[in-house]
Structure formats: C-alpha cells, structure tokens
Amino acid sequence: VTISNDVLSDYDLDDRIRSRIGNSEIFFKPYSKEEMLQILRQRAEEAFGKKIDDKVLEQCARVSFLEHGDARRAVDLLRVSAEIAAKEKKEITVDHIKAASKQIQKDRVEEVISSLSYHSRLICLVLASKMFGLDEKWHSTMSIFEKYKEYIQSEPVGYRRFSELLKDLENTGLIISDTRSKGQKGYSSEFQLVVDPRIVGEIINKKWWDTHVVKIKK
C-alpha cells in the first residue's frame, strides 16, 4: 500500500515492477467546507462540553477550507483560538479565530527561519523590507542583492552564491519565484515572500525592523 499527496506520482517504481503489481488507485477528495464544519462541531462538543457559537465554527471551517482543507489543522486552529480566548478570560469569537490563524502562521515561519543560515535570514529580511516599504510584491535578484550588500555587516557572498541561496529558500516555502522576459535583455527571475513581510521582519530582527522599516514608512 502506497499513500501519496501527489496524485500524478508514479512512485519512481521500476517499469517491470509497475507492470506486475496490477495496481488500483483510490483518490480521497479534500474535505468540503460543510464536512469541515461537521468535524469541528463534533470536536468542539467533545473538547469544551458546551455549545460553541456556530459563527465561530463557520469562520474556522471557512479559513481552513480556503487555506489547506486539512481537518487536523482546522482542529488545531480551533484549539489555539480557545487558548487565546482563555488568556483573555472570554468566550471564543471570530476575532480569536483570526488571531489564532496569524499566530499559527507566525509559529511555522519562526520554525523555518530558525533553521536558516545567517545569509539566508538576511535575504528574507531584505526581501521583507522591500515588499513592505515599497508596497511591491515582485523583486529581481539584482535589486535584492544590492540591498543585501547595504545591510550586511560582514563579508557578503558573491552574486552567484546569492542566487543559489534564493533558489534554496524556495524549498522552504517562504518565497516563490517567477521568470519573466526582459525583451532583448533575456529572462530575469523575480521573487516574493508568500507570508506577511511584517511577520518575517519581526521574527528575524524586531528592533531593526521597527526602527529602519516601519518607522521610515510612517
């Protein structure tokens, strides 16, 4: 039995093996928003022992359905919302769902960033400052590199190594790239963060971020 999230995968099996196993594929569809809501109602009743406002559960189901369709993460979102509400000594509200969603995203980003090298963290910080300060999503490799050289307080890596680090960051899920035609100049890669630049900036260096980015923009 082989389970995969990649529906187009052939599991890298040898052709001779694939022809003999007589495989049968079963596809499991993601949960619908209504199914997600039913799961949350059941879990909420078991966890809290009382009825939770349906608007709260509907918001939790909607956010989870749109972002990932994962029931376990939906339950986790409800749990974190309850923890935030408990600290405030209040009943769970839609605002707590929104706050929990941001907190979960921040926790995941923080975990990824903590595993990065100094130069990779600085690249993320540079890209975050450019996106936040200029209100522009996409930025070229050269523009990021030039700003990186301004910010770094030690010996910078070369442009080629810098490009490799940018590509490596794509594998973390923090950034994405897009290759665009520049006419006679050929093609150029541009990058953007897929998470809120403010989250990245505050995680890497909050004091610097507040002083050099947020304050200047204001």
Side-chain angles (χ1 to χ4, degrees):
V1 177
T2 304
I3 302 175
S4 173
N5 286 328
D6 185 356
V7 297
L8 300 179
S9 173
D10 283 329
Y11 315 121
D12 296 324
L13 296 176
D14 185 280
D15 287 338
R16 292 167 296 179
I17 296 175
R18 191 181 296 112
S19 67
R20 290 180 63 85
I21 60 176
N23 64 309
S24 177
E25 295 182 328
I26 301 174
F27 296 98
F28 297 93
K29 297 180 180 179
Y31 288 113
S32 67
K33 187 166 62 175
E34 290 71 26
E35 289 171 331
M36 196 81 73
L37 181 57
Q38 289 178 7
I39 293 171
L40 286 171
R41 282 172 177 158
Q42 180 186 6
R43 296 297 188 275
E45 184 177 345
E46 294 175 358
F48 303 113
K50 61 180 181 179
K51 184 174 177 58
I52 301 297
D53 188 345
D54 226 39
K55 290 182 179 179
V56 171
L57 299 180
E58 287 173 0
Q59 174 69 7
C60 190
R62 188 182 72 83
V63 170
S64 301
F65 172 73
L66 292 175
E67 291 187 1
H68 45 71
D70 188 328
R72 286 173 297 182
R73 289 170 66 181
V75 172
D76 195 38
L77 176 59
L78 182 60
R79 176 186 61 79
V80 176
S81 303
E83 291 174 354
I84 294 174
K87 289 179 180 178
E88 299 177 357
K89 297 181 179 179
K90 296 179 179 179
E91 295 292 327
I92 306 175
T93 66
V94 170
D95 287 337
H96 289 128
I97 298 293
K98 295 177 181 178
S101 183
K102 291 181 180 179
Q103 182 61 50
I104 290 173
Q105 183 188 51
K106 184 176 180 180
D107 290 344
R108 288 176 180 149
V109 171
E110 190 168 12
E111 184 177 350
V112 173
I113 288 177
S114 67
S115 67
L116 298 178
S117 68
Y118 167 72
H119 292 284
S120 293
R121 288 199 300 271
L122 186 56
I123 290 172
C124 288
L125 186 61
V126 168
L127 187 51
S129 67
K130 289 178 71 67
M131 289 179 62
F132 182 78
L134 300 176
D135 292 324
E136 295 177 4
K137 290 185 177 181
W138 295 99
H139 298 273
S140 67
T141 305
M142 180 57 73
S143 69
I144 304 170
F145 180 64
E146 292 298 327
K147 187 61 68 173
Y148 155 82
K149 290 192 296 182
E150 292 179 16
Y151 288 170
I152 194 167
Q153 297 179 351
S154 60
E155 185 68 23
V157 299
Y159 182 80
R160 182 173 179 178
R161 178 55 183 157
F162 182 87
S163 300
E164 292 174 350
L165 290 173
L166 267 175
K167 288 294 184 182
D168 289 342
L169 281 170
E170 281 194 88
N171 296 327
T172 68
L174 289 175
I175 70 173
I176 55 175
S177 68
D178 184 29
T179 302
R180 303 184 181 188
S181 173
K182 299 296 182 180
Q184 294 181 347
K185 296 181 180 179
Y187 290 86
S188 173
S189 292
E190 296 186 340
F191 298 84
Q192 69 161 298
L193 290 166
V194 296
V195 295
D196 190 333
R198 290 170 294 187
I199 292 178
V200 173
E202 290 177 359
I203 288 175
I204 296 176
N205 193 330
K206 189 177 189 308
K207 183 178 179 180
W208 181 91
W209 178 263
D210 290 340
T211 304
H212 292 81
V213 181
V214 177
K215 187 175 180 179
I216 291 175
K217 187 174 181 180
K218 288 181 178 178

